[in-house]
Amino acid sequence: MAADLDMVNLFIIAGGTLAIPILAFVASFLLWPSALIKVYYWYWRRTLGLQVRYADCGGYRFCYTYRGKPGMRPSILMLHGFSAHKDTWLTVVKYLPKHLHIVCVDMPGHEGTTRTNTEDYSIQGQVRRIHQFVETIRLNRKPFHVVGTSMGGNVAGVYAACYPSEICSITLICPDGIRHPCETKFDNHLQDLKHSNYTLNIPLIPTTPEEMEDMFRLCSHVRFKIPQQILQGLVDVRQPHNTFYEEVFMEIVGETSRYALQEHLHLIAAPLQVIWGKKDQVVDASGATVIAELVPGCRVDLLENCGHSVVMERPCRTAKLILEFIILQQDARGGTKKSS
């Protein structure tokens, strides 16, 4: 009888032990979804072997993640888009070889990187800051591959134009900064914003779960079913930063930044790859044709049934295309050396 009671007590203790994390998860999901989102990113960074580091330079601090060490293949610097963060790249990093040296940095003012009231958040200002970061961690000891998406694509392209000796090749994913011939749904939103003197809500800065869902519909062709609690959590995470996002938005749609990439294309010397979702409603895919016409030898990969959020919608395909391009360019340089 005593043995039976011991067994019952054991099951009760075991059940209670299991119930605690389950109840904690449910409570987090229902009451603190923003905390759950942070735990999610922390978990995937650990799973993928990415480590968080900080780089300090002249009172300015950059936050970044990295994996691997510099080796035979070039290092890869990944620049995220507007109002995003370094963890945007987790979906793509998952499909890249673990031996590659990968660096994902929070763009100026975003997430863990220093935010200042006087910082220039124009594209040129961000390029200067990213160059400061590159020098601080000595990433430019040998030429590296730079990848940028959306606003980060604009910055990546201008960076390659301004610091050609540091870049061995470039991948631009749905980059901003191009006068694309065809208007998009987002272009129409911009016109409405201008006519309202920017008093209307900016579609890329949601303040409610409903607006968050609308932003996903705008940025993604694939329809993701996201629970209301998660949408609320995403809003809660972003809400404290919305004033900053508005400041950055006004800078990157301003005269000096709006078409910065196109104005610098003629200065890009490194091999260039462009990846674009055909169904992009933010920056029209016709921009790929503009880039290809201005940069001889540019490789263009258009993705079917894919919108602006390429790294979220087609991460495996994106990783494969980037890796193929890097290997192709490296092999071409090796062949040139051998033939000479």
Side-chain angles (χ1 to χ4, degrees), residues 305-321:
N305 301 315
C306 184
H308 188 67
S309 300
V310 170
V311 299
M312 183 172 69
E313 297 178 74
R314 301 291 292 279
C316 182
R317 180 63 176 156
T318 301
K320 184 179 179 181
L321 288 171

Side-chain angles (χ1 to χ4, degrees), residues 221-232:
H221 177 71
V222 177
R223 291 292 174 255
F224 297 98
K225 291 184 179 180
I226 304 174
Q228 189 75 6
Q229 289 87 350
I230 297 299
L231 290 171
Q232 182 62 60

Side-chain angles (χ1 to χ4, degrees), residues 74-230:
S75 298
I76 303 174
L77 174 64
M78 311 187 90
L79 308 180
H80 64 74
F82 168 74
S83 78
H85 46 77
K86 58 189 175 297
D87 293 327
T88 299
W89 296 105
L90 290 173
T91 51
V92 175
V93 171
K94 176 182 177 181
Y95 297 102
L96 290 172
K98 289 191 175 181
H99 67 269
L100 286 179
H101 182 221
I102 297 169
V103 177
C104 307
V105 64
D106 284 327
M107 298 294 281
H110 288 71
E111 195 75 5
T113 292
T114 298
R115 181 178 301 172
T116 64
N117 294 326
T118 57
E119 176 58 37
D120 177 12
Y121 293 108
S122 68
I123 296 301
Q124 292 85 346
Q126 294 192 57
V127 167
R128 287 191 291 271
R129 280 298 186 190
I130 294 300
H131 185 245
Q132 185 182 25
F133 168 71
V134 165
E135 289 192 315
T136 300
I137 68 168
R138 301 182 66 192
L139 186 65
N140 55 356
R141 281 179 292 182
K142 66 177 186 177
F144 59 90
H145 181 86
V146 61
V147 182
T149 183
S150 195
M151 179 192 77
N154 197 345
V155 174
V158 175
Y159 188 103
C162 294
Y163 305 100
S165 63
E166 298 184 2
I167 304 297
C168 63
S169 48
I170 317 156
T171 298
L172 304 181
I173 304 173
C174 303
D176 194 11
I178 297 294
R179 289 185 177 89
H180 43 271
C182 304
E183 284 194 347
T184 64
K185 188 175 180 179
F186 183 67
D187 290 325
N188 295 330
H189 283 305
L190 278 181
Q191 292 301 321
D192 293 339
L193 280 168
K194 287 178 181 177
H195 292 150
S196 73
N197 198 25
Y198 294 95
T199 56
L200 293 175
N201 285 347
I202 299 170
L204 299 180
I205 308 178
T207 58
T208 66
E210 291 72 27
E211 290 179 359
M212 178 64 70
E213 196 167 24
D214 288 341
M215 187 185 77
F216 279 122
R217 289 197 188 100
L218 176 68
C219 295
S220 174
H221 177 71
V222 177
R223 291 292 174 255
F224 297 98
K225 291 184 179 180
I226 304 174
Q228 189 75 6
Q229 289 87 350
I230 297 299

Side-chain angles (χ1 to χ4, degrees), residues 174-175 274-278 280 283-285 287-288 291 301-303 310:
C174 303
V274 175
I275 302 174
W276 220 304
K278 281 189 175 183
D280 193 337
V283 187
D284 194 77
I291 296 174
D301 293 293
L302 299 178
L303 305 184
V310 170

